[in-house]
C-alpha cells in the first residue's frame, strides 16, 4: 500500500489519485507506443490525441462557447501578467484592474510596467489588508475601459468573487486558484488564464481561454512570437513544443473530473468542504478567527484563520502533520493557518481535519 | 516486461530508462512525503532539494565556472529567442547572428523583431540549403559586436559546430539539441539556452546558463518580470512556480549521466554511434547519400540521409517501425531519413539500426 498524506498545500497541490495512477501505469509505455508520453514527438498522432482531448475536455467541462480558443501555454500566471498588456494594451487601449490581494497586485504592477497610465486602478482593498473584496460602490470602472482585470480567488488572503464584479465591460481574469471549482458563464470574459498547479494538473502548463475579439486585439507584430496569443491560437498551441507531460496530466485530471459528474458534482463537494470548515470556525469564535471579514467573500478554495497564540498555531501545524495532514501553515505575510481545499481534496479529507480542529479546541480552548 | 521501442525521435526524444523508472517508482510517494513530486509545494524542503540538485549537477557535469548562473525557465528555445534581445539588446547594443538552419534562422528573425538593425547577419549557409556550416572566411563579425549568436547543432539539417565559430566576442548559443553531448569550455559563452526535450528531460524546461556580465546587461526595468533573466537569477529560479515535475526528471537524467561516468563517457558513446552510422552511409555511397556536404560539419546528434527513391524511403520507415525503431522519418522540408541519436540512444540501438541498414542495401541496393 502506497503511503499517501492528506494534502492541503496552496499550490502545487494534490491531484486526483486516479489521474496519477494512470500516469504511473503507462509511464514507460504510453498508448501502446513503447515510449513514455514524454518521449514521443509532439507531432505524433498519439500525443496529438492527448493534446486535443485536453482542449476538448476543457471546453466541455467549462461549457465554453464556440467563439473562444483554449490555449495551453507555459510560464504560469507570471508570464500571463506580462503577455496580457503586451498583447491587449497597444494602441492606447485602456484597462481597469481590481486589486484584491497579493496576486492581483502583482498582475496590476506588471501590467503597469507595459501599459503605464493606460492601466488604471479600479479599486483596491489593500488598506483593509485585503481581508474583504471591494464593494460595487467602491469600484471605478471607466466608460472607455477595454477590459476589467480581476483575480477570481485570492489564494493568499482567502477571498473569492462568488458574484463577479459588476460591469458591462469584458473581464480578463486570473483564475489560477479556482478555475473548475464550479460552472460559470464564460461568455462575459475576454480572457481567462490559470496556472494548472492548483485545480488542473502539475505546474508548467497555463490554460488560457481567449475570446475571438480579444484575439483580434493582439496585433503587435513586433512582439517575439512566443508572446503572441494569436500565433498560439493559429497553431492550436503546437506553434512550439508544448509541455507534453504536463498537458497529458491535465488531460488525466479533466477526464477524471468528467467521470465523477463534471463541475456540478465538483461544486457540491467544494461547497460541502467549505461549509464544514467555516462551520467549525464559526462555532468557536473565541478560538478560531477567520481572516476574511465579510462572510460573502469567503473563499471556497483557501480558508485562512488564526488561533489565539503563535505557539498554538505552531502546535497545530506540527500535530496535523503527525496526523498525516500537510501544507497547513499560513502564507508568510499573513501567518495563521491556511487550508487549501482544491478539487482534489475530498470531503472525507476535510472531515478528518475538522475532527482534528474540534479536538484541538477541546484540548486547548 | 514493459514494451519499449528504440526511439530515434528528434525531440521530444527518448530518456534514459533508469531516470524514468525512478520517476515511476515514486510517482505517488516522492522522498517519503506521501505525495507525488507534482503535488508538493515548490517552497517545500523536499522540492527545493531536487531543484538545487538539478542546478548543481548541471554545473558539475558541464564544469561551469563560478561566474555563471544556471536558470531553469519555461517556454523553450522559442521564448528564449525573444528574451535574449529583450534583455541584452537595449541601449543600442549590437549582435551578430550566424544562420545555419531552420532554428538558427528563427532565432535571428525573432531577435530582429526586437533589435531591428542592431541584429546583424554574420553569415548564412541558406543558399546552400544549410547543407554545411559557413566557413571562417564567410563570417563577418563586427568589432562593435556585443555577442555572436549561433546554434551549436542544427537538428533539422544535421550539421554541428564541432569547433565553435572563430571570434573574440562572447557567444550566445542555442544548444537545445546537443547540450551535454560532450565536455566543452563554457567560459567563452555569455549565455547558453537549451530546451530540455532532447538531451536533458521532458519538454517544458529551458536550461539557461548565463555569465555574470551578461546578467548585468539585463537592465530593462520596463520588461514584465518573467522575461527578465536577472529576476530569475536573484531568486534561483524560484521567482515563480517552476515546472517542478520537469525539473525533477531533469535531475533524474543528470544523476544518471553522472552515474555512467559523466560527459567524457557520454561523448565516447556518441562518437561511436556517429561513426557506426556515417560509416554505413559512406560504405554505400550509391545507396545512402548524406545530406551534409562537408564531413567535418556532420552532426553527432542528427544524421540525415537520402535513399535512391521516395518509395524506398517510405519502405525504410515502415520496416524499421515493424522492427521496433521509431522516429526515423526526415523533417518535412528536407525529406529522407533522420536518425536522432541523443544521449539516451545506446550504441546497441544504433547497431540494431545499422544492421537493418546493411540488410536494406542488400535487399534493395
Amino acid at each position: 500500500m502506497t503511503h499517501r498524506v492528506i494534502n492541503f498545500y496552496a499550490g502545487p497541490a494534490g491531484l486526483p489519485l486516479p489521474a496519477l495512477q494512470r500516469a504511473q501505469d503507462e509511464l514507460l509505455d504510453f498508448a501502446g507506443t513503447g515510449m513514455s508520453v514524454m518521449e514521443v514527438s509532439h507531432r505524433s498522432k498519439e500525443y496529438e490525441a492527448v493534446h486535443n482531448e485536453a482542449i476538448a475536455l476543457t471546453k466541455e467541462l467549462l461549457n465554453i462557447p464556440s467563439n473562444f480558443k483554449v490555449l495551453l501555454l507555459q510560464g504560469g500566471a507570471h508570464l500571463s501578467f506580462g503577455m496580457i498588456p503586451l498583447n491587449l494594451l497597444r494602441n492606447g487601449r485602456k484597462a481597469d484592474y481590481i486589486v484584491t490581494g497579493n496576486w492581483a497586485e502583482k498582475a496590476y504592477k506588471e501590467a503597469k510596467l507595459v501599459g503605464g497610465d493606460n492601466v488604471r486602478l479600479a479599486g483596491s482593498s489593500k488598506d483593509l489588508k485585503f481581508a474583504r473584496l471591494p464593494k460595487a460602490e467602491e469600484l471605478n470602472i471607466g466608460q472607455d475601459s477595454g477590459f476589467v482585470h480581476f483575480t477570481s480567488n485570492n489564494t493568499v488572503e482567502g477571498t473569492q468573487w462568488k458574484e463577479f464584479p459588476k460591469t458591462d465591460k469584458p473581464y480578463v481574469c486570473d483564475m489560477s486558484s479556482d478555475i473548475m471549482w464550479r460552472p460559470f458563464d464564460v461568455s462575459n470574459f475576454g480572457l481567462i488564464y490559470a496556472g494548472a498547479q492548483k485545480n488542473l494538473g502539475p505546474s508548467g502548463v497555463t490554460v488560457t481561454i481567449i475570446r475571438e475579439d480579444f484575439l483580434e486585439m493582439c496585433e503587435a507584430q513586433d512582439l517575439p512570437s512566443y508572446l503572441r496569443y494569436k500565433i498560439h491560437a493559429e497553431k492550436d498551441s503546437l506553434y512550439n513544443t508544448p509541455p507534453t507531460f504536463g498537458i497529458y496530466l491535465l488531460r488525466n485530471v479533466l477526464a477524471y473530473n468528467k467521470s465523477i459528474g463534471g463541475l456540478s458534482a465538483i461544486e457540491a463537494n467544494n461547497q460541502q468542504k467549505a461549509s464544514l470548515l467555516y462551520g467549525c470556525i464559526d462555532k468557536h469564535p473565541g478560538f478560531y478567527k477567520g481572516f476574511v471579514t465579510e462572510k460573502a467573500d469567503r473563499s471556497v478554495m483557501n480558508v485562512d484563520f488564526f488561533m489565539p497564540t503563535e505557539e498554538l498555531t505552531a502546535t497545530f501545524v506540527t500535530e496535523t502533520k503527525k496526523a498525516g495532514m500537510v501544507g497547513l501553515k499560513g502564507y508568510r505575510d499573513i501567518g495563521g493557518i491556511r487550508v487549501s481545499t482544491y478539487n482534489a481534496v475530498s470531503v472525507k479529507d476535510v472531515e478528518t481535519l475538522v475532527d482534528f480542529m474540534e479536538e484541538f479546541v477541546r484540548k486547548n480552548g
Side-chain angles (χ1 to χ4, degrees), chain A:
Chain A
M1 186 68 187
T2 307
H3 165 60
R4 295 277 294 171
V5 295
I6 297 178
N7 184 344
F8 292 115
Y9 270 129
L15 296 171
L17 188 57
L20 289 172
Q21 282 168 329
R22 184 175 181 182
Q24 187 177 41
D25 287 346
E26 56 192 24
L27 200 77
L28 305 181
D29 179 12
F30 146 76
T33 58
M35 294 172 275
S36 175
V37 64
M38 285 174 259
E39 300 176 299
V40 302
S41 170
H42 58 298
R43 310 282 178 205
S44 67
K45 65 179 192 307
E46 293 89 355
Y47 173 71
E48 282 200 2
V50 168
H51 188 91
N52 294 336
E53 191 184 348
I55 291 170
L57 283 167
T58 304
K59 287 182 180 169
E60 182 183 344
L61 287 162
L62 288 173
N63 195 20
I64 297 176
S66 62
N67 60 329
F68 283 77
K69 276 276 196 179
V70 173
L71 310 179
L72 304 174
L73 307 178
Q74 298 181 56
H78 267 101
L79 183 55
S80 300
F81 293 160
M83 284 174 69
I84 287 163
L86 287 170
N87 279 273
L88 304 177
L89 293 180
R90 315 283 281 226
N91 295 339
R93 202 174 285 114
K94 295 176 203 318
D96 292 294
Y97 275 63
I98 307 177
V99 172
T100 52
N102 184 68
W103 291 98
E105 188 172 34
K106 280 192 186 169
Y108 170 65
K109 284 185 178 170
E110 292 286 313
K112 272 278 202 204
L113 285 177
V114 176
D117 290 344
N118 290 327
V119 173
R120 305 174 302 201
L121 189 65
S124 168
S125 49
K126 191 170 186 177
D127 288 351
L128 306 166
K129 294 182 178 174
F130 299 127
R132 68 162 173 84
L133 299 173
K135 296 175 190 303
E137 62 271 21
E138 295 167 352
L139 294 181
N140 179 20
I141 293 165
Q143 268 316 306
D144 58 348
S145 185
F147 62 82
V148 175
H149 182 282
F150 74 106
T151 308
S152 54
N153 181 72
N154 298 284
T155 324
V156 168
E157 298 81 6
T159 60
Q160 187 177 30
W161 292 90
K162 309 287 175 46
E163 282 178 51
F164 298 139
K166 284 198 181 18
T167 175
D168 58 350
K169 306 297 176 189
Y171 299 125
V172 169
C173 186
D174 179 358
M175 284 201 182
S176 295
S177 64
D178 71 351
I179 191 165
M180 297 251 174
W181 85 272
R182 65 160 182 192
F184 69 97
D185 184 357
V186 174
S187 65
N188 299 324
F189 290 76
L191 192 155
I192 293 167
Y193 59 105
Q197 65 268 23
K198 288 140 197 300
N199 265 348
L200 299 176
S203 59
V205 182
T206 319
V207 173
T208 303
I209 302 162
I210 185 166
R211 208 166 67 187
E212 275 166 5
D213 57 323
F214 270 65
L215 266 182
E216 291 312 310
M217 290 181 197
C218 304
E219 70 282 275
Q221 306 283 346
D222 59 335
L223 258 191
S225 303
Y226 190 89
L227 300 175
R228 297 181 59 200
Y229 290 117
K230 206 169 177 179
I231 285 182
H232 293 290
E234 284 164 0
K235 301 286 188 182
D236 289 321
S237 304
L238 286 163
Y239 166 67
N240 67 321
T241 313
T244 53
F245 185 79
I247 291 169
Y248 161 82
L249 234 304
L250 167 68
R251 189 281 309 262
N252 289 4
V253 170
L254 298 177
Y256 172 77
N257 285 351
K258 185 177 169 180
S259 77
I260 59 168
L263 296 201
S264 51
I266 287 171
E267 180 180 10
N269 273 342
N270 284 327
Q271 297 284 15
Q272 201 185 337
K273 291 183 288 178
S275 101
L276 283 165
L277 275 165
Y278 288 117
C280 176
I281 289 168
D282 291 342
K283 197 173 141 195
H284 305 289
F287 193 82
Y288 296 123
K289 191 172 147 26
F291 175 73
V292 178
T293 54
E294 294 278 338
K295 286 192 178 178
D297 296 346
R298 283 169 159 182
S299 170
V300 164
M301 295 278 106
N302 309 95
V303 178
D304 288 11
F305 62 87
F306 299 107
M307 271 170 286
T309 66
E310 289 198 14
E311 289 68 31
L312 279 170
T313 310
T315 307
F316 187 95
V317 171
T318 310
E319 291 192 5
T320 46
K321 208 164 181 178
K322 274 187 205 155
M325 292 178 275
V326 302
L328 288 165
K329 197 175 167 190
Y331 188 80
R332 56 186 180 270
D333 295 351
I334 292 198
I337 297 293
R338 172 170 55 176
V339 191
S340 296
T341 57
Y342 300 122
N343 289 351
V345 174
S346 69
V347 172
K348 190 162 160 285
D349 293 340
V350 171
E351 283 170 347
T352 305
L353 176 61
V354 167
D355 287 348
F356 178 94
M357 286 170 70
E358 291 288 356
E359 179 67 20
F360 199 77
V361 183
R362 270 194 293 280
K363 281 200 288 194
N364 302 288

